[in-house]
Structures are given as structure tokens and as C-alpha cells.
Amino acid sequence: MELLVDLHTHTIASGHAYSTVTENALAASRRGIKLLGMTDHGPKMPGAPHLFHFDNLSILPDELFGVKILPGVEANITNYEGDLDMPMRYLEQLKLILAGLHPICYPGGTCEQNTQAYLKAMLNPYIDIMVHPGRPDFEMDLEKIAHASALLNVPMEVNNSSLATISGKDRARNNCNSIARYMSKYKSPVILGSDAHFWDRVGEFNEALELVRETGISEQQILNTSPERVLDYLVERRKRRTEFNPISLKYRLSIA
């Protein structure tokens, strides 16, 4: 399986990452990556960039070293309603929006509360991809989330960093294995992400690929085998924004 897209990477702007846009793009080029997401953390994360950082992303070139750059954000889900730490006007102008739960940005709750926070974020058409659902920080109903991903056609990430981190690796692998099997069962759309915080991790998917093979996720489910598939998905995703009703985000998503 050839993976040509890495949509989840960080630069020094995130505060706890250690490479520049240029260094990441060069590393991507050397690894054969054709499409690179630049998704620094949203402002609620300590050390994250000021909102002006996201306002100024338009100055970046569309391409570096033969790699197309998608400026975006890894937004933080902040509460049980699935709200994000990015104002709407920034969401409207970014080319790629990832969203996930982080311990320092989200209060935590019961399994039901955490699940609903994740599902309500997934209902937001301004969010393109839901990231690292297998992280063990918050208990969630992983089957319900995988099923919702399939019904809503919102890709879920298999996060290489979650699987490669030494601390809590066994718990993370168990969680990731569990949700990956549900993603295989319901045929959810999938993105493999490096979650690189240093240039040498860009385009690194070894652990994620191993999990994909173990759990039976098919190549047809994985969007980042082709830049065209990803870009076509993002175009279709933006069409849904015209139907957006903020009130709908307050309703609970029921999965039979």
C-alpha cells in the first residue's frame, strides 16, 4: 500500500514541536509524500500559536519541494457539546480542520459524556477529520463512534504516534485495535496520520499500517493512498457547509 498523504503534522508554532514548515515539507518530499497537512494546535493548547497565526497562513506557498501544502489546524474539543477552540471565521478560511480530545483542553467526563462530545464534533461540517480516537485519555463508546463515522462519512484517524509512544503504549494499542476493528466492521473512511512533532516522523506510518493489517481495514477505506481522493473529499465536505445548522450540533446523535 502506497501512502502519499500525511494530513497530521506540527511545526514549531505548536510550542511542543520542533521543526519548521520548510523542514517538514523537505522530509515529506524525501519520503514520497505528495500532500502535506500543516495542522498546528488550536489556541487552547498551552504554547499553541495565537489566532493571528491562522489568519496569516495565506502567505505560505501552495507547494514546497514538490509537496502540496494544506494549511490547517488541529482544533481542540473543549466541552461536552463538541465545541471547538477556533472561532467560525477561522474555520471558514482554513483548508484542513482536524479535531480531537486533549487532556489539558477538555475537562473529561463519563464514557457517555466523552462519546457525545466526540460525536457532536463529528456532526460539525467544518470539521474534516476526527483524530486519535484510540488515545486512552478518555473512555468512549468506540463502536458508536466508528458507526457514526461510517454513517456521516467523516474519516477517523489511525494515529501512528499514539501507537509508537512508549508511555501508555499498551493501553493505546488496545484502544486503537478496538476502534480499528469497528472501523473495519462498519467500513468507516480512514486516514492514517503521523502526528509528527519533528521532521523525521513526517510520513511515518509503520505502526499504523501494522494495525490496519491486523484489523482488516481495507485499502479502499483509506483516503491517503491518493492526493486526489483527499482533495475530492475536502471539496465535497465544503459543500455540506451550506446546509449547516448550528442548532443541530446540540442534539444527541443516536446510533441504533
Side-chain angles (χ1 to χ4, degrees):
M1 189 188 308
E2 190 174 26
L3 298 175
L4 303 176
V5 179
D6 190 356
L7 295 181
H8 190 170
T9 68
H10 297 272
T11 74
I12 52 173
S14 282
H16 59 278
Y18 307 98
S19 302
T20 64
V21 177
T22 301
E23 289 167 337
N24 282 356
L26 181 58
S29 178
R30 289 171 175 170
R31 278 218 156 125
I33 298 295
K34 303 299 183 185
L35 182 63
L36 183 70
M38 187 192 122
T39 50
D40 284 307
H41 284 284
K44 195 170 176 66
M45 178 69 70
H50 188 274
L51 283 172
F52 187 70
H53 163 89
F54 301 100
D55 219 12
N56 201 40
L57 286 174
S58 60
I59 69 166
L60 293 178
D62 291 334
E63 189 174 295
L64 284 168
F65 310 109
V67 179
K68 184 172 177 60
I69 308 297
L70 288 180
V73 65
E74 182 184 6
N76 299 290
I77 299 170
T78 60
N79 56 36
Y80 305 140
E81 295 301 316
D83 295 327
L84 304 181
D85 61 345
M86 295 291 294
M88 182 63 74
R89 81 175 186 89
Y90 295 95
L91 297 179
E92 288 173 340
Q93 69 190 39
L94 293 172
K95 294 184 178 180
L96 178 65
I97 299 163
L98 316 182
L101 296 171
H102 294 92
I104 206 161
C105 306
Y106 169 78
T110 65
C111 179
E112 176 67 13
Q113 287 171 322
N114 299 336
T115 302
Q116 289 302 315
Y118 207 80
L119 290 175
K120 287 178 179 180
M122 201 184 299
L123 281 168
N124 186 338
Y126 284 83
I127 294 172
D128 298 312
I129 296 162
M130 301 298 296
V131 296
H132 47 64
R135 282 181 59 167
D137 306 286
F138 306 105
E139 184 184 2
M140 295 193 291
D141 185 332
L142 300 178
E143 181 169 14
K144 182 175 282 191
I145 286 168
H147 193 186
S149 167
L151 291 175
L152 297 170
N153 193 37
V154 177
M156 304 281 289
E157 181 191 49
V158 177
N159 184 289
N160 198 78
S161 181
S162 295
L163 295 161
T165 302
I166 299 300
S167 176
K169 184 173 181 178
D170 288 342
R171 284 185 63 210
R173 177 163 285 276
N174 288 341
N175 266 22
C176 290
N177 187 290
S178 179
I179 195 166
R181 291 189 185 280
Y182 291 130
M183 290 156 70
S184 176
K185 173 182 176 180
Y186 293 113
K187 306 303 179 189
S188 312
V190 176
I191 285 283
L192 274 59
S194 70
D195 198 358
H197 285 64
F198 189 61
W199 67 262
D200 71 341
R201 307 289 178 91
V202 172
E204 176 58 61
F205 304 116
N206 288 345
E207 301 272 358
L209 276 170
E210 181 182 336
L211 186 68
V212 162
R213 295 185 184 109
E214 284 176 8
T215 56
I217 291 174
S218 70
E219 184 170 342
Q220 289 69 37
Q221 289 175 252
I222 299 172
L223 270 66
N224 47 324
T225 54
S226 160
E228 291 74 24
R229 286 189 70 190
V230 171
L231 293 173
D232 287 347
Y233 163 74
L234 292 174
V235 168
E236 287 301 313
R237 188 71 180 158
R238 272 140 190 75
K239 289 180 182 177
R240 290 194 59 192
R241 294 179 179 179
T242 60
E243 306 163 3
F244 178 52
N245 177 3
I247 296 174
S248 69
L249 298 184
K250 305 304 177 184
Y251 288 107
R252 182 167 303 193
L253 179 65
S254 297
I255 305 297

